Amino acid sequence: MLCHNKCKIVFRLEQRCATCTPNSISYVRLFSNASLASPSYLCPGDKLCSAENCIPGTGVYLRHGYVYSSLAGYVLKKNEGEKLPVISVVRETEVQLLPDVGAIVTCKVTSINPRFAKVHILYVGSTPLKDRFRGTIRKEDVRATEKDKVETYKSFRPGDIVLAKVISLGDVQSNYLLTTAENELGVVVAHSGAGAQMVPINWCEMQCPRTHSKEFRKVARVQPEYLQA
Amino acid sequence: MFSSLKERTGEVLLPGDEFSFEAEDTISLAGPVKPEKVVCGPGLRRSGDRLLVCKSGVLRHKQPNMFWVDSQQRRYVPAKGETVIGIVTVKSGDVFKVDFGGSEQASLSYLAFEGSTKRNRPNVQVGDLVFSQFLIANQDMEPELVCIDGSGRANGMGVIGGGGLLFTVSLGLVRRLLSPHSEVRSDLQQLFPCELVVGMNGRLWAKASTVQQTLIISNLLQSCDTMTAQQRRALFRRVAQGAL
């Protein structure tokens, strides 16, 4: 579809070209060498421009005096204080927020084991993530006191929403390592066997409002101003 | 609710039946009324202010205020602390996989036997029968078995020797066999001496002095599942006369 203005740049999705959005970061669409007529995303290997016109940023590489793209995505051209613009290729229009060491993340428990619990990280701080990263909460990282007497079954269950802190990014194959060894970290939302959302009683128990049965969890002490009625 | 539950003790209940607070349970203005507490056992569940029946069976009552539903089933659901007879299926590294008739196989570590250390491994092969108890048994994790109790002693658990016969019965019969003054057990004692291992997963292992006697015992136990007490005693008497 055509840009809303009379400029003839064509986009695949409803977007605005650089000339019509003066305030935002400009997305300059450069035609790739392969397809001039049809609009397309950039592929790895597409020639962007010569190295004299721009400084290469992320997602591009230099070869024989030309700048080529190494990712599949959109071109990003930033004019900073230096003379030449910085050209880079990004996969998504927004920058992905990655969980960093020390960040508080919200995750959902997927499976438990006598030694650890596997979780899917859903939110970093208060921003939701597009992909689900995987995390692990080891048995010794569940609480700060009496680490060897921790029973995973009495701390988490599959389906619980947990507030945790990242302690390590892990290797290539392992997941993020998380910990709940603080008063403010732990299970926030849990459902009982009957299906009702449970109410916390103290730091290690939650009660179902329907069947009045108590279940063990490592409960997070959420500040009262964050609790909704 | 207590009175309505007590009325129906001994009746057959179906899932969907419910007990609710009736009009007679109102508080009298004359004197102080203590609300009666009802303890729900298996088969009964509280939902709000009603009591729902989740299993079909006979309602039983035990003083002072315990109610439960006695139901028959053959499928075993593992519970912590129960002793079962399992069959070793896989021997991989430090852990054995044991089939006990549940939805998944349980794991049994080689260190969970009496007197076993890293150097002194127990003599367990694939296909062996193991009498053990559950250490971890819940719906979210893989069940785990051990052959020692809390203090490290075997207490009768471990690998069952050869020569006997393993057969399955319903869970109700197993509970009747294990109850303190079991009639079935006393009837069986009068027949001939035998060795009997009772697993709560519905599996029994029997061994008598001859193969014929072992087969007789297994047939008797499997058939007296659905008999009344009189029929069972008549059957045992007939067999005793025939055997002697």
Side-chain angles (χ1 to χ4, degrees), chain A residues 84-144:
Chain A
L84 296 175
V86 177
I87 221 171
S88 50
V89 175
V90 288
R91 240 191 262 144
E92 296 288 335
T93 45
E94 297 127 30
V95 179
Q96 169 88 286
L97 185 64
L98 288 177
D100 201 9
V101 177
I104 307 281
V105 293
T106 310
C107 34
K108 187 176 203 177
V109 181
T110 51
S111 71
I112 54 172
N113 200 294
R115 289 195 309 271
F116 49 80
K118 295 268 188 196
V119 301
H120 275 167
I121 302 180
L122 305 172
Y123 288 74
V124 173
S126 44
T127 43
L129 295 176
K130 285 204 200 91
D131 311 312
R132 288 174 158 200
F133 294 114
R134 293 188 195 219
T136 307
I137 306 181
R138 286 179 309 175
K139 184 176 111 166
E140 49 268 18
D141 296 329
V142 172
R143 324 198 271 245

Side-chain angles (χ1 to χ4, degrees), chain A residues 112-113 153 157-158 210-212, chain B residues 46-48 136 138 140-141:
Chain A
I112 54 172
N113 200 294
Y153 191 62
R157 298 274 171 95
R210 221 188 278 170
T211 57
H212 291 253
Chain B
R46 173 182 176 172
S47 171
I136 295 177
N138 49 58
D140 299 317
M141 289 203 284

